[in-house]
Coordinates of all heavy atoms in Angstrom, one line a residue:
Chain A
H73 N -0.4 22.3 23.0 CA -1.2 23.5 22.6 C -0.6 24.5 21.7 O -1.0 25.5 21.5 CB -1.7 24.2 24.0 CG -2.5 23.3 24.8 ND1 -3.7 22.8 24.4 CD2 -2.3 22.6 26.0 CE1 -4.2 22.0 25.3 NE2 -3.4 21.9 26.3
Chain B
Y18 N -8.2 26.3 42.4 CA -7.7 25.0 42.0 C -6.5 24.6 42.8 O -5.5 25.3 42.9 CB -7.3 25.1 40.5 CG -8.6 25.5 39.7 CD1 -8.9 26.9 39.5 CD2 -9.5 24.5 39.3 CE1 -10.1 27.2 38.9 CE2 -10.6 24.9 38.7 CZ -10.9 26.2 38.5 OH -12.1 26.6 37.9
Q60 N -5.2 21.6 33.6 CA -5.5 22.9 32.9 C -6.9 22.9 32.2 O -7.5 23.9 32.2 CB -4.4 23.1 31.8 CG -3.0 23.2 32.5 CD -2.0 23.6 31.3 OE1 -2.3 24.3 30.4 NE2 -0.7 23.1 31.6
E61 N -7.3 21.7 31.6 CA -8.5 21.6 31.0 C -9.7 22.0 32.0 O -10.6 22.6 31.6 CB -8.7 20.2 30.4 CG -7.9 19.9 29.2 CD -8.2 21.0 28.1 OE1 -9.4 21.3 27.9 OE2 -7.3 21.4 27.4
M62 N -9.5 21.5 33.2 CA -10.5 21.8 34.2 C -10.8 23.3 34.3 O -11.9 23.8 34.4 CB -10.0 21.2 35.5 CG -11.0 20.8 36.5 SD -10.2 19.5 37.6 CE -9.0 20.5 38.5
I63 N -9.7 24.0 34.5 CA -9.8 25.5 34.6 C -10.5 26.1 33.4 O -11.3 27.0 33.4 CB -8.4 26.1 34.9 CG1 -7.7 25.6 36.1 CG2 -8.4 27.6 34.9 CD1 -6.2 25.9 36.3
I64 N -10.0 25.6 32.2 CA -10.4 26.2 30.9 C -12.0 25.9 30.9 O -12.8 26.8 30.5 CB -9.7 25.5 29.8 CG1 -8.3 26.0 29.8 CG2 -10.4 25.8 28.4 CD1 -7.4 25.3 28.7
E65 N -12.5 24.7 31.2 CA -13.9 24.4 31.1 C -14.7 25.4 32.0 O -15.8 25.9 31.6 CB -14.1 23.0 31.5 CG -14.6 22.1 30.3 CD -14.6 20.7 30.6 OE1 -15.4 20.4 31.7 OE2 -13.9 19.9 30.0
D66 N -14.2 25.6 33.3 CA -14.9 26.4 34.2 C -15.0 27.8 33.7 O -16.0 28.5 33.9 CB -14.3 26.3 35.6 CG -14.5 25.1 36.3 OD1 -15.4 24.3 35.9 OD2 -13.9 24.7 37.3
L67 N -13.9 28.3 33.1 CA -13.9 29.7 32.5 C -14.9 29.8 31.4 O -15.7 30.7 31.3 CB -12.5 30.0 32.1 CG -11.5 30.5 33.1 CD1 -10.2 30.5 32.5 CD2 -11.9 31.9 33.6
K68 N -14.8 28.7 30.5 CA -15.6 28.8 29.3 C -17.1 28.7 29.7 O -18.0 29.4 28.9 CB -15.3 27.6 28.4 CG -14.0 27.9 27.5 CD -13.9 26.8 26.5 CE -12.7 27.1 25.5 NZ -12.4 25.9 24.8
S69 N -17.4 27.9 30.7 CA -18.9 27.8 31.0 C -19.4 28.9 31.7 O -20.6 29.0 32.1 CB -19.1 26.4 31.8 OG -18.5 26.6 33.1
G70 N -18.4 29.9 32.2 CA -18.9 31.1 32.8 C -19.1 30.9 34.3 O -19.5 31.8 35.0
I72 N -16.8 30.8 36.5 CA -15.8 31.6 37.2 C -15.3 32.7 36.2 O -15.4 32.6 35.0 CB -14.6 30.8 37.7 CG1 -13.9 30.1 36.5 CG2 -15.0 29.7 38.6 CD1 -12.6 29.5 36.7
D73 N -14.8 33.7 36.9 CA -14.2 34.8 36.0 C -12.8 35.2 36.6 O -12.1 36.2 36.1 CB -15.0 36.0 35.7 CG -15.5 36.6 37.0 OD1 -15.1 36.3 38.1 OD2 -16.4 37.5 37.0
V75 N -9.2 33.3 38.6 CA -8.6 32.0 38.8 C -7.5 32.0 39.9 O -6.7 33.0 39.9 CB -8.0 31.4 37.6 CG1 -7.3 30.2 37.9 CG2 -9.0 31.3 36.5
T88 N 2.5 29.0 32.8 CA 1.7 27.8 32.4 C 0.2 28.1 32.5 O -0.6 27.9 31.7 CB 2.0 26.5 33.2 OG1 3.5 26.4 33.3 CG2 1.4 25.3 32.7
F89 N -0.2 28.6 33.7 CA -1.6 28.8 34.0 C -2.1 30.1 33.3 O -3.3 30.1 32.8 CB -1.9 28.9 35.5 CG -1.6 27.6 36.2 CD1 -0.5 27.5 37.1 CD2 -2.3 26.5 35.9 CE1 -0.3 26.2 37.6 CE2 -2.1 25.3 36.5 CZ -1.1 25.1 37.4
R90 N -1.4 31.0 33.1 CA -1.8 32.2 32.3 C -2.1 31.8 30.9 O -3.1 32.1 30.3 CB -0.7 33.3 32.3 CG -0.6 34.0 33.7 CD -0.3 35.4 33.5 NE 0.1 36.0 34.7 CZ 1.2 36.5 35.0 NH1 2.2 36.4 34.2 NH2 1.4 37.1 36.2
D91 N -1.2 31.0 30.3 CA -1.4 30.4 29.0 C -2.8 29.7 28.8 O -3.5 29.7 27.9 CB -0.2 29.6 28.5 CG 1.0 30.4 28.2 OD1 0.8 31.6 28.1 OD2 2.1 29.9 28.0
A92 N -3.0 28.8 29.9 CA -4.2 28.0 29.9 C -5.4 29.0 29.8 O -6.4 28.8 29.2 CB -4.3 27.1 31.1
I93 N -5.3 30.0 30.7 CA -6.5 31.0 30.8 C -6.6 31.7 29.4 O -7.7 31.9 29.0 CB -6.2 32.0 31.9 CG1 -6.3 31.2 33.3 CG2 -7.3 33.1 31.9 CD1 -5.8 32.1 34.5
K94 N -5.5 31.9 28.7 CA -5.7 32.6 27.4 C -6.3 31.7 26.5 O -7.1 32.1 25.7 CB -4.2 32.8 26.9 CG -3.8 34.3 26.8 CD -2.5 34.5 26.0 CE -1.4 34.8 26.8 NZ -0.1 34.8 26.1
R95 N -6.0 30.4 26.6 CA -6.7 29.4 25.7 C -8.1 29.3 25.9 O -8.9 29.0 25.0 CB -6.0 28.0 25.9 CG -4.6 27.9 25.3 CD -4.3 26.4 24.9 NE -4.6 25.5 26.0 CZ -3.7 25.3 27.1 NH1 -2.6 25.9 27.1 NH2 -4.1 24.4 28.0
A96 N -8.6 29.6 27.2 CA -10.0 29.7 27.4 C -10.7 30.9 26.8 O -11.9 31.1 26.9 CB -10.3 29.6 28.9
G97 N -9.9 31.8 26.3 CA -10.4 33.0 25.7 C -10.5 34.1 26.8 O -11.2 35.1 26.6
S98 N -9.9 34.0 27.9 CA -9.9 34.9 29.0 C -8.7 35.7 29.1 O -7.7 35.4 28.4 CB -10.2 34.3 30.3 OG -11.5 33.6 30.2
N99 N -8.7 36.8 29.8 CA -7.5 37.7 30.0 C -6.5 37.0 30.9 O -7.0 36.5 32.1 CB -8.0 39.0 30.5 CG -6.7 40.0 30.7 OD1 -5.9 39.7 31.5 ND2 -6.6 41.0 29.8
P100 N -5.3 36.7 30.6 CA -4.4 36.0 31.4 C -4.1 36.6 32.8 O -3.5 35.9 33.7 CB -3.1 35.9 30.5 CG -3.2 37.0 29.7 CD -4.7 37.2 29.3
I102 N -6.2 37.6 35.0 CA -7.2 37.4 36.1 C -6.8 36.3 37.0 O -7.7 35.6 37.5 CB -8.6 37.2 35.4 CG1 -8.5 35.9 34.5 CG2 -9.1 38.4 34.6 CD1 -9.7 35.2 34.3

Side-chain angles (χ1 to χ4, degrees):
Chain A
H73 300 293
Chain B
Y18 301 86
Q60 294 186 36
E61 283 305 317
M62 208 155 71
I63 300 172
I64 291 172
E65 250 173 59
D66 286 346
L67 279 167
K68 278 187 173 165
S69 69
I72 60 165
D73 61 7
V75 176
T88 309
F89 293 114
R90 285 212 192 118
D91 286 346
I93 294 167
K94 244 194 261 178
R95 288 206 308 279
S98 302
N99 184 287
I102 55 153

